[in-house]
Amino acid sequence: MCEANAYIRTRDNEELLLSSVDKVIPNGDELLLENIFGQRKIIKGKIVEMALVDHKIIIEKTEQ
């Protein structure tokens, strides 16, 4: 499978936001994430790293 886990990067930590993500759709300053189970999350943020071999997407929030 080629899905990835999406994490929120904070100052010194990475917190799991959504697992098994198969879609990331940017919309302005938001990202829509959808996983293989149909779960969706929308977050104001930007992708700062995608490590596809490690199945990992790192996002930083752009707004608190």
Side-chain angles (χ1 to χ4, degrees):
M1 302 299 267
C2 55
E3 64 270 4
N5 294 327
Y7 297 86
I8 293 290
R9 180 178 284 167
T10 60
R11 182 176 291 188
D12 55 354
N13 196 14
E14 292 176 356
E15 179 181 325
L16 180 64
L17 175 65
L18 187 65
S19 62
S20 303
V21 173
D22 72 338
K23 287 184 186 174
V24 178
I25 302 170
N27 183 17
D29 61 348
E30 295 180 337
L31 297 169
L32 168 73
L33 304 154
E34 183 176 309
N35 70 11
I36 60 173
F37 307 108
Q39 292 177 296
R40 290 180 163 196
K41 292 207 174 179
I42 297 173
I43 185 165
K44 287 186 183 265
K46 62 180 180 180
I47 295 173
V48 293
E49 181 180 344
M50 293 180 71
L52 299 180
V53 171
D54 296 329
H55 305 274
K56 198 171 185 180
I57 302 167
I58 307 297
I59 298 169
E60 284 182 356
K61 285 185 178 179
T62 55
E63 184 176 294
Q64 294 294 325

